[in-house]
Amino acid sequence: MSIALVGALGYAGGAAIQQYEAVRGGATFKLVRRPRWWIGGAIGFAGASLHALALSFAPLVLVQPVSVTTLVFAVPLAAVLHGRRPHRAEILGSIAVSAGLLGIMLLVPQSHTRPELSTRGALWFLACIGVVVALCELFARRRARGTTAKALVTAIGAGAVTAAVSTFVRVVGGGLDGDLSRLFHWFTLVIPVLLVVAVILLQKSYAVGHFSVAYAGVQVIDPVTSVLAGVILLGEPVPTDPASIIPALISAAVLIGGTITLGRLSPDPSTLPCHVEAPVPVTTRAAAR
């Protein structure tokens, strides 16, 4: 789990730097001329790579909730870059995420079994993700640009696909056991395809006009979908006795509540000066998930 935490810190640092550059100069192609933007991207990619490595050693039900700590790390880093102190709501949201995550990590049973996914199960999973994305896109097209509902449904589709990336990374990476020949499987080819789709959907969700809603939505849907995939498809263990189930559900609720709180505090285009273009962060996280 320490690998996942370091990866979350790396992604948060990179995202904070890139977001700061986007706010200063606008989300245009001019960003590629800024060395600090590239540095942020490199740091974020390193963090995302560590997240993928963590998925090779630990189950989805443990690793994916750790990913929301990017918000906990990003909030103070963003505050420092913008020359201010974290707000009270940011501190409370960070505490809620940390407490919820700690509760989940303590309550989820440890598992070291190799993840296995049948071809039939993989196809059904991809079909379900495709249906979710199609329904979200259909609903989004019926909504006016810039509406909160459109931002939320596009985030749901993006979060579902990023969860699919994480699931296949877990299956491929966790199933190697030192045998690289196992990489020659169609599961491996699915990962980059899903990755491209995830990046496109993430940017579409951010571009709707309510970045805070979209970001919080992705941060909630991604781990929830990943955990469901881990439990249903990969048979990963979860608390089963009432004495553990209730605290686990409470911890999950606290984690989600803190995530939404921190996500809503992210810079929103409507709060930026009129001469600055709305930031559309270039994310590297989907590359690992």
Side-chain angles (χ1 to χ4, degrees), residues 130-157:
V131 170
V132 171
V133 172
L135 291 176
C136 289
E137 289 294 305
L138 181 62
F139 183 85
R141 290 187 179 185
R142 297 177 179 270
R143 298 291 172 176
R145 178 177 176 80
T147 60
T148 303
K150 185 171 185 176
L152 182 59
V153 294
T154 52
I156 292 174

mmCIF file of all heavy atoms in Angstrom, residues 130-157:
data_model
loop_
_atom_site.group_PDB
_atom_site.id
_atom_site.type_symbol
_atom_site.label_atom_id
_atom_site.label_comp_id
_atom_site.label_asym_id
_atom_site.label_seq_id
_atom_site.Cartn_x
_atom_site.Cartn_y
_atom_site.Cartn_z
ATOM 1 N N GLY A 130 -19.454 -0.413 -21.652
ATOM 2 C CA GLY A 130 -19.902 0.229 -22.883
ATOM 3 C C GLY A 130 -21.320 0.756 -22.777
ATOM 4 O O GLY A 130 -21.631 1.857 -23.261
ATOM 5 N N VAL A 131 -22.210 -0.018 -22.153
ATOM 6 C CA VAL A 131 -23.595 0.420 -21.968
ATOM 7 C C VAL A 131 -23.652 1.664 -21.080
ATOM 8 O O VAL A 131 -24.384 2.623 -21.366
ATOM 9 C CB VAL A 131 -24.444 -0.713 -21.356
ATOM 10 C CG1 VAL A 131 -25.818 -0.194 -20.934
ATOM 11 C CG2 VAL A 131 -24.601 -1.848 -22.353
ATOM 12 N N VAL A 132 -22.867 1.656 -19.995
ATOM 13 C CA VAL A 132 -22.841 2.814 -19.092
ATOM 14 C C VAL A 132 -22.372 4.065 -19.833
ATOM 15 O O VAL A 132 -22.985 5.139 -19.725
ATOM 16 C CB VAL A 132 -21.920 2.542 -17.884
ATOM 17 C CG1 VAL A 132 -21.707 3.817 -17.066
ATOM 18 C CG2 VAL A 132 -22.512 1.456 -17.000
ATOM 19 N N VAL A 133 -21.296 3.936 -20.605
ATOM 20 C CA VAL A 133 -20.762 5.079 -21.351
ATOM 21 C C VAL A 133 -21.772 5.565 -22.381
ATOM 22 O O VAL A 133 -21.996 6.776 -22.537
ATOM 23 C CB VAL A 133 -19.434 4.702 -22.041
ATOM 24 C CG1 VAL A 133 -18.976 5.818 -22.980
ATOM 25 C CG2 VAL A 133 -18.358 4.423 -20.999
ATOM 26 N N ALA A 134 -22.412 4.630 -23.095
ATOM 27 C CA ALA A 134 -23.395 5.008 -24.113
ATOM 28 C C ALA A 134 -24.578 5.747 -23.494
ATOM 29 O O ALA A 134 -25.037 6.772 -24.034
ATOM 30 C CB ALA A 134 -23.875 3.761 -24.857
ATOM 31 N N LEU A 135 -25.084 5.250 -22.381
ATOM 32 C CA LEU A 135 -26.203 5.912 -21.705
ATOM 33 C C LEU A 135 -25.810 7.297 -21.204
ATOM 34 O O LEU A 135 -26.597 8.255 -21.312
ATOM 35 C CB LEU A 135 -26.695 5.052 -20.541
ATOM 36 C CG LEU A 135 -27.396 3.744 -20.913
ATOM 37 C CD1 LEU A 135 -27.741 2.948 -19.665
ATOM 38 C CD2 LEU A 135 -28.667 4.026 -21.725
ATOM 39 N N CYS A 136 -24.600 7.408 -20.679
ATOM 40 C CA CYS A 136 -24.125 8.708 -20.195
ATOM 41 C C CYS A 136 -23.987 9.704 -21.342
ATOM 42 O O CYS A 136 -24.377 10.875 -21.216
ATOM 43 C CB CYS A 136 -22.781 8.553 -19.481
ATOM 44 S SG CYS A 136 -22.883 7.713 -17.889
ATOM 45 N N GLU A 137 -23.439 9.252 -22.461
ATOM 46 C CA GLU A 137 -23.281 10.131 -23.616
ATOM 47 C C GLU A 137 -24.640 10.548 -24.175
ATOM 48 O O GLU A 137 -24.838 11.706 -24.560
ATOM 49 C CB GLU A 137 -22.463 9.430 -24.705
ATOM 50 C CG GLU A 137 -20.992 9.271 -24.367
ATOM 51 C CD GLU A 137 -20.275 10.599 -24.273
ATOM 52 O OE1 GLU A 137 -20.331 11.377 -25.245
ATOM 53 O OE2 GLU A 137 -19.671 10.874 -23.217
ATOM 54 N N LEU A 138 -25.587 9.612 -24.211
ATOM 55 C CA LEU A 138 -26.925 9.924 -24.708
ATOM 56 C C LEU A 138 -27.602 10.961 -23.825
ATOM 57 O O LEU A 138 -28.217 11.917 -24.316
ATOM 58 C CB LEU A 138 -27.761 8.645 -24.770
ATOM 59 C CG LEU A 138 -29.195 8.792 -25.293
ATOM 60 C CD1 LEU A 138 -29.183 9.283 -26.737
ATOM 61 C CD2 LEU A 138 -29.940 7.457 -25.191
ATOM 62 N N PHE A 139 -27.484 10.780 -22.508
ATOM 63 C CA PHE A 139 -28.089 11.729 -21.572
ATOM 64 C C PHE A 139 -27.398 13.088 -21.671
ATOM 65 O O PHE A 139 -28.059 14.141 -21.619
ATOM 66 C CB PHE A 139 -27.984 11.194 -20.148
ATOM 67 C CG PHE A 139 -28.643 12.057 -19.123
ATOM 68 C CD1 PHE A 139 -30.000 11.945 -18.861
ATOM 69 C CD2 PHE A 139 -27.908 13.001 -18.412
ATOM 70 C CE1 PHE A 139 -30.608 12.752 -17.908
ATOM 71 C CE2 PHE A 139 -28.496 13.806 -17.461
ATOM 72 C CZ PHE A 139 -29.860 13.682 -17.214
ATOM 73 N N ALA A 140 -26.060 13.082 -21.802
ATOM 74 C CA ALA A 140 -25.310 14.337 -21.852
ATOM 75 C C ALA A 140 -25.683 15.158 -23.076
ATOM 76 O O ALA A 140 -25.731 16.393 -23.014
ATOM 77 C CB ALA A 140 -23.813 14.048 -21.855
ATOM 78 N N ARG A 141 -25.957 14.491 -24.201
ATOM 79 C CA ARG A 141 -26.304 15.222 -25.418
ATOM 80 C C ARG A 141 -27.650 15.925 -25.315
ATOM 81 O O ARG A 141 -27.922 16.879 -26.048
ATOM 82 C CB ARG A 141 -26.321 14.272 -26.613
ATOM 83 C CG ARG A 141 -24.932 13.770 -27.006
ATOM 84 C CD ARG A 141 -24.981 12.965 -28.287
ATOM 85 N NE ARG A 141 -23.651 12.513 -28.679
ATOM 86 C CZ ARG A 141 -23.391 11.870 -29.806
ATOM 87 N NH1 ARG A 141 -24.377 11.604 -30.662
ATOM 88 N NH2 ARG A 141 -22.152 11.500 -30.083
ATOM 89 N N ARG A 142 -28.479 15.461 -24.405
ATOM 90 C CA ARG A 142 -29.794 16.082 -24.219
ATOM 91 C C ARG A 142 -29.734 17.263 -23.252
ATOM 92 O O ARG A 142 -30.744 17.924 -23.040
ATOM 93 C CB ARG A 142 -30.795 15.041 -23.698
ATOM 94 C CG ARG A 142 -31.045 13.898 -24.675
ATOM 95 C CD ARG A 142 -31.977 12.867 -24.065
ATOM 96 N NE ARG A 142 -32.242 11.774 -24.981
ATOM 97 C CZ ARG A 142 -33.236 11.753 -25.862
ATOM 98 N NH1 ARG A 142 -34.068 12.788 -25.941
ATOM 99 N NH2 ARG A 142 -33.417 10.714 -26.664
ATOM 100 N N ARG A 143 -28.561 17.499 -22.675
ATOM 101 C CA ARG A 143 -28.402 18.588 -21.726
ATOM 102 C C ARG A 143 -27.602 19.719 -22.346
ATOM 103 O O ARG A 143 -26.716 19.498 -23.169
ATOM 104 C CB ARG A 143 -27.676 18.091 -20.456
ATOM 105 C CG ARG A 143 -28.456 17.013 -19.718
ATOM 106 C CD ARG A 143 -29.710 17.590 -19.091
ATOM 107 N NE ARG A 143 -30.563 16.529 -18.546
ATOM 108 C CZ ARG A 143 -31.680 16.758 -17.874
ATOM 109 N NH1 ARG A 143 -32.079 18.010 -17.677
ATOM 110 N NH2 ARG A 143 -32.415 15.761 -17.427
ATOM 111 N N ALA A 144 -27.926 20.939 -21.931
ATOM 112 C CA ALA A 144 -27.218 22.101 -22.443
ATOM 113 C C ALA A 144 -25.783 22.110 -21.937
ATOM 114 O O ALA A 144 -25.500 21.666 -20.828
ATOM 115 C CB ALA A 144 -27.926 23.389 -22.018
ATOM 116 N N ARG A 145 -24.892 22.641 -22.749
ATOM 117 C CA ARG A 145 -23.483 22.727 -22.361
ATOM 118 C C ARG A 145 -23.346 23.606 -21.119
ATOM 119 O O ARG A 145 -23.937 24.676 -21.026
ATOM 120 C CB ARG A 145 -22.659 23.320 -23.506
ATOM 121 C CG ARG A 145 -21.188 23.493 -23.147
ATOM 122 C CD ARG A 145 -20.391 24.020 -24.317
ATOM 123 N NE ARG A 145 -19.010 24.283 -23.943
ATOM 124 C CZ ARG A 145 -18.070 23.379 -23.849
ATOM 125 N NH1 ARG A 145 -18.361 22.120 -24.115
ATOM 126 N NH2 ARG A 145 -16.828 23.697 -23.502
ATOM 127 N N GLY A 146 -22.539 23.128 -20.176
ATOM 128 C CA GLY A 146 -22.292 23.913 -18.974
ATOM 129 C C GLY A 146 -23.200 23.572 -17.813
ATOM 130 O O GLY A 146 -23.047 24.122 -16.731
ATOM 131 N N THR A 147 -24.167 22.654 -18.002
ATOM 132 C CA THR A 147 -25.061 22.299 -16.906
ATOM 133 C C THR A 147 -24.377 21.313 -15.969
ATOM 134 O O THR A 147 -23.533 20.518 -16.378
ATOM 135 C CB THR A 147 -26.364 21.683 -17.441
ATOM 136 O OG1 THR A 147 -26.048 20.505 -18.183
ATOM 137 C CG2 THR A 147 -27.103 22.673 -18.331
ATOM 138 N N THR A 148 -24.775 21.366 -14.698
ATOM 139 C CA THR A 148 -24.192 20.474 -13.700
ATOM 140 C C THR A 148 -24.492 19.015 -14.016
ATOM 141 O O THR A 148 -23.633 18.132 -13.847
ATOM 142 C CB THR A 148 -24.734 20.816 -12.303
ATOM 143 O OG1 THR A 148 -24.458 22.193 -12.013
ATOM 144 C CG2 THR A 148 -24.098 19.936 -11.242
ATOM 145 N N ALA A 149 -25.721 18.739 -14.472
ATOM 146 C CA ALA A 149 -26.116 17.364 -14.785
ATOM 147 C C ALA A 149 -25.238 16.778 -15.891
ATOM 148 O O ALA A 149 -24.840 15.605 -15.829
ATOM 149 C CB ALA A 149 -27.583 17.322 -15.192
ATOM 150 N N LYS A 150 -24.935 17.585 -16.895
ATOM 151 C CA LYS A 150 -24.097 17.099 -17.989
ATOM 152 C C LYS A 150 -22.686 16.807 -17.499
ATOM 153 O O LYS A 150 -22.077 15.801 -17.883
ATOM 154 C CB LYS A 150 -24.052 18.128 -19.117
ATOM 155 C CG LYS A 150 -23.294 17.642 -20.354
ATOM 156 C CD LYS A 150 -23.462 18.590 -21.521
ATOM 157 C CE LYS A 150 -22.796 18.037 -22.768
ATOM 158 N NZ LYS A 150 -23.027 18.890 -23.951
ATOM 159 N N ALA A 151 -22.168 17.659 -16.650
ATOM 160 C CA ALA A 151 -20.835 17.433 -16.090
ATOM 161 C C ALA A 151 -20.796 16.143 -15.283
ATOM 162 O O ALA A 151 -19.830 15.377 -15.345
ATOM 163 C CB ALA A 151 -20.423 18.618 -15.216
ATOM 164 N N LEU A 152 -21.858 15.888 -14.538
ATOM 165 C CA LEU A 152 -21.904 14.707 -13.679
ATOM 166 C C LEU A 152 -21.999 13.424 -14.486
ATOM 167 O O LEU A 152 -21.272 12.457 -14.219
ATOM 168 C CB LEU A 152 -23.073 14.806 -12.706
ATOM 169 C CG LEU A 152 -23.223 13.657 -11.712
ATOM 170 C CD1 LEU A 152 -21.968 13.527 -10.866
ATOM 171 C CD2 LEU A 152 -24.448 13.866 -10.830
ATOM 172 N N VAL A 153 -22.874 13.377 -15.482
ATOM 173 C CA VAL A 153 -23.048 12.134 -16.244
ATOM 174 C C VAL A 153 -21.824 11.832 -17.102
ATOM 175 O O VAL A 153 -21.466 10.657 -17.278
ATOM 176 C CB VAL A 153 -24.322 12.176 -17.129
ATOM 177 C CG1 VAL A 153 -25.569 12.231 -16.275
ATOM 178 C CG2 VAL A 153 -24.291 13.328 -18.098
ATOM 179 N N THR A 154 -21.168 12.857 -17.633
ATOM 180 C CA THR A 154 -19.937 12.602 -18.392
ATOM 181 C C THR A 154 -18.843 12.085 -17.463
ATOM 182 O O THR A 154 -18.019 11.246 -17.852
ATOM 183 C CB THR A 154 -19.451 13.867 -19.112
ATOM 184 O OG1 THR A 154 -19.359 14.951 -18.177
ATOM 185 C CG2 THR A 154 -20.394 14.257 -20.231
ATOM 186 N N ALA A 155 -18.850 12.561 -16.219
ATOM 187 C CA ALA A 155 -17.878 12.073 -15.233
ATOM 188 C C ALA A 155 -18.146 10.621 -14.877
ATOM 189 O O ALA A 155 -17.209 9.843 -14.644
ATOM 190 C CB ALA A 155 -17.927 12.942 -13.976
ATOM 191 N N ILE A 156 -19.414 10.234 -14.831
ATOM 192 C CA ILE A 156 -19.751 8.841 -14.538
ATOM 193 C C ILE A 156 -19.185 7.916 -15.620
ATOM 194 O O ILE A 156 -18.591 6.880 -15.330
ATOM 195 C CB ILE A 156 -21.273 8.667 -14.427
ATOM 196 C CG1 ILE A 156 -21.790 9.386 -13.174
ATOM 197 C CG2 ILE A 156 -21.658 7.184 -14.386
ATOM 198 C CD1 ILE A 156 -23.298 9.401 -13.054
ATOM 199 N N GLY A 157 -19.364 8.306 -16.874
ATOM 200 C CA GLY A 157 -18.813 7.507 -17.968
ATOM 201 C C GLY A 157 -17.302 7.437 -17.912
ATOM 202 O O GLY A 157 -16.706 6.367 -18.100
#
